Amino acid sequence: MDPVVVVGAGGQLGSELCRQLGPRAIGLDLPEFDITDRDTVAARMEKIRPEAVINAAAMTDIDQAQQQSTQCHAVNAQGVGHLVEACQRLGCVLVQVSSDQVFGGDAARAIPYTEVDSPAPVNVYGQTRLEGESHAARWEKHYIVRTSSLYGLPGPRSSENFVETIVRLAAQGQPLRAANDQQCTPSYTLHVARAIRFLLSTEAYGIYHVVDRGETTWYTFAAEILSRSGISAAVEPIRTEPSDQSAPRPRYSVLSTAKYHSLAGRPTMPRWQDALSQYLAIRGAR
């Protein structure tokens, strides 16, 4: 079978994709592979000649993105354009991983966003993700996979996820606070990677929302992490207060998975609570 390139292979989602793809996966990441370098991208893809490219690389720290907008644009937008050019030359499929953060401008929103809803990002990160989507859509053989609030087993380049942060701080006896005014859907990378693998088998190109089912706030998510981990600790609910050092967040960025779930034979995305239990069990076994 022809290889599948996973860009951003050192992150949580990228490393999970590599695990699931097994020997087919060719993982690429910094410092050896920089998607902001057009010549490097072209030469490496020409050498590998993959069947598909999955781009799971991005500058994902929302506050850092706000402060370093030029670099964020280079990675999240221009870098996607370089991958698109390579995929067009080789005729291979591109999977561009994107984010729920392309939404949020509708302050009154209270129902999950579908793929046909108009994006309206409220921060630099979301804007650059949307620009990356626009690049990906130039190539007919594309999947744009929007997901949300990922957590999973660590990759060699991944930072600590929200679940691990809550567990660590609780174990250290640190005070716990989490926003109770942002609705989203935390999603386990195992399920998102599985869904991406399925989409690659379909040739049903386009935009898909791929998240675990349901919705919650970061406060409720944190409380559920503690409860399902058997940790006795309290979490203080707080309101989001953007400052000069932080980026605005969507109050509501829940994604509808109806389009994805309409595909015959697709693996079902579980409820976010069940996904969390599965992650904690696998984490504990390791």
Side-chain angles (χ1 to χ4, degrees), residues 19 32 49 67 105 108 112 116 133 143-144 154 170 172 179 196 204 217 221 229 249 254 269 275 280:
R19 277 190 288 269
E32 294 80 10
R49 304 190 71 82
Q67 297 160 17
V116 298
E133 290 186 9
Y143 298 93
I144 293 169
Q172 294 172 352
I196 289 173
T217 66
F221 185 37
S229 299
R249 264 60 167 184
V254 179
M269 302 299 289
L280 290 172

Side-chain angles (χ1 to χ4, degrees), residues 44-59:
R44 195 64 183 274
M45 293 301 165
E46 183 65 34
K47 182 177 181 180
I48 298 170
R49 304 190 71 82
E51 174 183 334
V53 176
I54 305 173
N55 182 29
M59 185 173 180

Side-chain angles (χ1 to χ4, degrees), residues 104 107 122 181-184 239-242 249-253:
V122 298
D181 58 356
Q182 297 175 36
Q183 295 279 342
C184 62
R239 294 186 60 81
T240 306
E241 298 292 345
R249 264 60 167 184
R251 298 299 189 193
Y252 189 92
S253 61

Side-chain angles (χ1 to χ4, degrees), residues 5-10 14 26-29 33 35 45 53-57 83:
V5 164
V6 178
V7 182
I26 295 181
L28 302 177
D29 211 331
F33 186 80
I35 62 173
M45 293 301 165
V53 176
I54 305 173
N55 182 29
L83 291 172

